[in-house]
Amino acid sequence: GALETVEQLGLHTYVIYHRTIAPWPVRDRDVLTHVSVQHFARLQEVHVNIRSIVRKTVPELEDAVRMPSVRGRYRFRQIAPRRSMVEYEVRVDPGGYLPRWVREWVVSALPRDTISNLRARARWAVARDAYRAEAAALREEGRVAGFPY
């Protein structure tokens, strides 16, 4: 799939376009989302909230089905130095028709693949010391005390 930041609305709030590549003969799906990140220093948690939105500036495409509804969240909680727990919830109306085998595949593969991709991204970031400046800025704001990265 593809992700693109359409607009940054605030320090921790974005409009994101996401396109999911579907296997033939299923049509690709896409969605425009409002994504907000909340930091809870006392709880040592970061929440990422996602909901679909409509914007006339991002029209529907002929070769993709626009998902009418997406709501989800990630909750990251530090459980030890350099170790986190992640909760992931999502509710999706994919729009249009999807064969049963695709629905079953999505229900089983989406959560597993999402967490696997998050783990790979975290390892990539740690290996390259990525995001240190961003985390330092958040700690400076007093929002995420205790997070090492």
Side-chain angles (χ1 to χ4, degrees):
L3 288 173
E4 177 185 337
T5 300
V6 174
E7 183 179 359
Q8 184 167 354
L9 302 172
L11 188 59
H12 305 293
T13 309
Y14 308 86
V15 173
I16 306 285
Y17 172 80
H18 181 208
R19 182 171 180 146
T20 301
I21 308 303
W24 182 88
V26 178
R27 290 179 59 204
D28 290 357
R29 297 303 197 262
D30 72 352
V31 65
L32 192 63
T33 58
H34 178 273
V35 178
S36 63
V37 181
Q38 298 174 293
H39 309 277
F40 301 95
R42 187 177 52 76
L43 301 173
Q44 294 188 309
E45 290 186 358
V46 175
H47 297 187
V48 179
N49 300 295
I50 303 162
R51 65 179 168 81
S52 54
I53 60 173
V54 175
R55 284 248 176 122
K56 292 179 182 177
T57 56
V58 182
E60 293 185 26
L61 303 174
E62 294 277 331
D63 63 341
V65 175
R66 181 64 48 97
M67 291 187 270
S69 177
V70 173
R71 293 190 77 79
R73 75 177 183 109
Y74 294 90
R75 187 178 100 175
F76 300 89
R77 181 167 41 113
Q78 183 178 2
I79 57 176
R82 301 178 63 90
R83 190 164 171 89
S84 299
M85 184 221 41
V86 178
E87 287 181 9
Y88 170 64
E89 291 180 40
V90 66
R91 292 176 190 230
V92 176
D93 176 354
Y97 170 76
L98 286 177
R100 182 183 180 127
W101 68 268
V102 173
R103 291 191 313 265
E104 290 173 359
W105 173 76
V106 167
V107 166
S108 66
L110 181 64
R112 180 188 63 241
D113 292 351
T114 298
I115 297 300
S116 178
N117 290 338
L118 277 171
R119 181 177 287 121
R121 182 65 178 188
R123 288 182 177 145
W124 176 91
V126 168
R128 287 159 184 79
D129 203 21
Y131 307 119
R132 182 177 292 278
E134 291 87 346
L138 290 171
R139 279 195 300 277
E140 185 78 19
E141 291 177 19
R143 297 181 183 216
V144 188
F147 275 89
Y149 294 99

